[in-house]
Amino acid sequence: MAVDLTPRQPTKAYGGEGGAYYEWSPAELPMLGVASIGAAKLSLAAGGMSLPSYSDSAKVAYVLQGKGTCGIVLPEATKEKVVAVKEGDALALPFGVLTWWHNTPASATELVVLFLGDTSKGHKPGQFTNFQLTGSDGIFTGFSTEFVGRAWDLKEDVAAKLVSTQPASGIVKLTSGQKLPEPIPEDRKDMALNCLEAKLDVDIPNGGRVVVLNTANLPLVKEVGLGADLVRIDAHSMCSPGFSCDSAYQVTYIVRGSGRVQVVGPDGKRVLETRIEGGGLFIVPRFHVVSKIADASGMEWFSIITTPNPIFSHLAGKTSVWKAISPEVLEAAFNTTPEMEKLFRSKRLDSEIFFAPN
């Protein structure tokens, strides 16, 4: 049975005065379950804090808006890293990483962070499960006061009071005067890459630009097992039809702008044709060919690919397979004339990946 590939918006899972946590559900976006991919979004108001937690899945985080602080405790680390984050930052978060997020009280905008990750080893295929350390649903609310007191070397009444002091769940708004650690510049090293400032891997005038996250520029990508990229195409530009040739799924979130997308699968069947806009998320199945055309506003998207160093094969442009295939094979494959083959081969000699409007 065909799986619905229609792009979806997230729904609110929980939140309050400090902000909210949104997630995409495999019930509404079935490809999440098929691909074992999780997707969620955190939005923190000024002064909002996402309490310390860890997840059952390795993730890539991408800051969509605002600036703030992320606290990270890597497995077996003896000290947290306190990283300043801002729009365009990407962070790789392996299994077992503990994180907290904070938007400064003076901030004029919300801090919004996208999470995309692999749930194949998680509790629910297609959905993240987060484990809170504190709060009304924190891990230690489930232990008896005897166990908590013994673990922390506290009297049981003191342990019980400490565990129950935080009534909120997941997200809080800090009171005036509460302070958190200041970011440490050296803690950013190998932890975050700003995709809006990084060296471009592809830059085509009037076409588009790409920054690719891989093991070279963000080493923790190897531990996460995911690749990622930020793509920005100009008004009415086209992204070449192409596919991941290493059996990977492509998970795409539209950051801003809008456009059209088509996906074609086996037997030449178009399995998706729709208009996409900011905030929507969709998944391209393995080996399916996808292409996008931006509206007048242009289009920007952030994607993860379920392999740390993805390889793509393009079916148009100077780097496409058509330029590699011999003329005789191309003539036979299309059942066409040598003249038509020469006309076809003469096109897109200077264009690759992105095509500006004529």
Side-chain angles (χ1 to χ4, degrees), residues 200-212 229-242 290-294 299-301 314-319 348-358:
L200 296 172
D201 294 282
V202 177
D203 185 8
I204 298 175
N206 301 314
R209 291 149 296 285
V210 182
V211 170
V212 178
D229 57 26
L230 177 70
V231 181
R232 290 167 284 171
I233 61 174
D234 297 323
H236 303 299
S237 288
M238 180 183 197
C239 182
S240 167
V290 60
S291 183
K292 309 177 190 74
I293 298 178
M299 190 159 53
E300 178 178 335
W301 64 86
H314 293 279
L315 301 179
K318 71 177 184 179
T319 59
R348 299 293 186 204
L349 295 177
D350 300 319
S351 304
E352 59 175 317
I353 306 179
F354 304 125
F355 311 134
N358 294 327

Side-chain angles (χ1 to χ4, degrees), residues 14-77:
Y14 61 85
E17 188 181 2
Y21 181 83
Y22 303 84
E23 60 186 6
W24 282 265
S25 165
E28 297 180 353
L29 186 57
M31 275 302 300
L32 290 171
V34 174
S36 289
I37 293 294
K41 192 159 62 172
L42 173 68
S43 179
L44 293 178
M49 179 187 183
S50 176
L51 297 174
S53 67
Y54 64 93
S55 175
D56 64 350
S57 306
K59 306 174 185 176
V60 172
Y62 182 72
V63 181
L64 297 168
Q65 176 185 299
K67 58 183 179 180
T69 306
C70 176
I72 302 172
V73 181
L74 296 169
E76 300 183 339

Side-chain angles (χ1 to χ4, degrees), residues 244-313:
S244 171
C245 51
D246 43 13
S247 189
Y249 292 96
Q250 300 174 60
V251 186
T252 299
Y253 175 85
I254 307 302
V255 177
R256 58 178 56 86
S258 60
R260 292 176 292 143
V261 61
Q262 292 186 357
V263 178
V264 176
D267 303 319
K269 292 182 179 179
R270 191 182 308 152
V271 293
L272 178 65
E273 180 174 16
T274 190
R275 186 174 181 275
I276 49 178
E277 56 187 18
L281 182 136
F282 69 100
I283 300 174
V284 179
R286 291 180 295 182
F287 298 109
H288 284 49
V289 178
V290 60
S291 183
K292 309 177 190 74
I293 298 178
D295 289 339
S297 59
M299 190 159 53
E300 178 178 335
W301 64 86
F302 184 81
S303 296
I304 64 164
I305 302 92
T306 56
T307 182
N309 293 296
I311 301 172
F312 288 95
S313 184

